[in-house]
Amino acid sequence: MSRLLSVDAGPYAPPAPARELTAVSADGARLHVEIHGPDGAPAVVLAHGWTCSTAFWAAQIRDLAADHRVIAYDQRGHGRSPASPACSTDTLADDLEAVLEATLAPGEQAVVAGHSMGGMTVMAASGRTAFREHTAAVLLCSTGSSQLVAASTVVPMRPGRLRTWLTRRILGSRAPLGPVTPLARRILKYGTMGPGSAPHMVEACARIVHACPREVRYTWSHVLDLLDLDHGVRELTVPTAVVVGTADRLTPPVQARALAEALPHCTGLTELPGIGHMTPVEAPELVTGKIRELVGAHIQVASEESA
């Protein structure tokens, strides 16, 4: 994604990375990776969600890079990672493994934070060798493991076949999003953010989402529609914190509660009153604080030993 399509000032402006690299996935897909912060600092890996990019994590990167090595990457087809005909939960897992192996030394561990589809990426990779080698703890933000369309409350009507059908048509639409207009901002805010979200937050999310290519958005919508990663939740044995907004229409709190119940080592479920789906943007200090807590609790000793 061109930085011209992102916010160019303030806390949601993407910071310049210390360096960039390309990770190559199992099928040859090339992934754009950014590294921020000092070498040798505790590592944090950030996986963004559907229709987003590394720019989505701007607030977390800006804060954490002062004393962490922050690794953020564009999911295939998003941001500056080229599109690929292969899109599945297996490729999500392959891509995360490739990023971990390209950026972390053998045996080095990181806190991995995933938002929405990024959280699903973590679940898909939970049983993989590289994931287990390199992951000390996990933060799952605004995500779910299955039944995403049926659970969504984007369509304001009673649960059932009609709501599910309408939701599937909306989320899986091929229609272009077009420019970021006042109407586009209102629609995006309704579907993805809490009612109290500040205009600069809505603007940041709208610019990021509208930059996602239409065919990429459409292709990944089908992967999410068929998602079933309940087994991945059970295999996610590292300490895992869960965060969700109470006004999240895409992955409502019922999804987060199910995750917290099924996780082998859930360190806590945080429900944020009035916050929508875009938790890292809507509640940046809290999400950053959760990442810092996990680093301090689970990789602090390793960082001291490397000092």
Side-chain angles (χ1 to χ4, degrees), residues 4 17 24 52 80 134 152 156 158 162 177 185 211 218 223 234 258 263:
L4 295 176
V24 181
C52 293
R80 282 177 277 181
H134 290 297
S152 170
R158 293 172 62 88
L162 178 58
L177 295 182
R185 285 190 286 268
Y218 174 76
V223 176
R234 295 189 292 270
L263 283 164

Side-chain angles (χ1 to χ4, degrees), residues 14 74 81 92 114 124 131 157 184 188 190 236 269 278 282 286 291:
D74 286 324
S81 293
L92 289 175
F131 180 85
M157 58 189 296
L188 180 129
Y190 167 79
L236 188 53
L269 167 62
M278 303 303 212
E282 296 179 72
L286 183 136
I291 294 172

Side-chain angles (χ1 to χ4, degrees), residues 214-304:
R214 175 174 53 174
E215 283 304 313
V216 170
R217 172 168 51 88
Y218 174 76
T219 299
W220 281 110
S221 74
H222 284 273
V223 176
L224 301 181
D225 183 12
L226 301 173
L227 190 80
D228 184 357
L229 290 172
D230 292 346
H231 64 285
V233 180
R234 295 189 292 270
E235 293 184 46
L236 188 53
T237 56
V238 297
T240 302
V242 182
V243 171
V244 69
T246 62
D248 188 338
R249 291 186 172 93
L250 289 177
T251 52
V254 64
Q255 294 272 7
R257 293 168 195 152
L259 289 176
E261 181 69 24
L263 283 164
H265 189 175
C266 182
T267 64
L269 167 62
T270 302
E271 298 190 24
L272 305 175
I275 299 296
H277 185 67
M278 303 303 212
T279 42
V281 172
E282 296 179 72
E285 294 87 359
L286 183 136
V287 170
T288 302
K290 290 292 181 184
I291 294 172
R292 285 186 174 277
E293 287 175 15
L294 291 168
V295 170
H298 301 292
I299 62 174
Q300 188 172 33
V301 172
S303 67
E304 290 172 354

Side-chain angles (χ1 to χ4, degrees), residues 24-27 31 76 88-99 101 121 124-125 128:
V24 181
S25 194
D27 65 350
L31 305 164
R76 62 175 65 196
S88 67
T89 55
D90 282 338
T91 59
L92 289 175
D94 289 342
D95 294 352
L96 178 55
E97 279 200 300
V99 171
E101 292 179 324
T121 301
R128 300 289 189 91

Side-chain angles (χ1 to χ4, degrees), residues 109-124:
Q109 292 198 314
V111 167
V112 180
H115 170 261
S116 193
M117 192 173 79
M120 298 160 201
T121 301
V122 170
M123 298 174 219

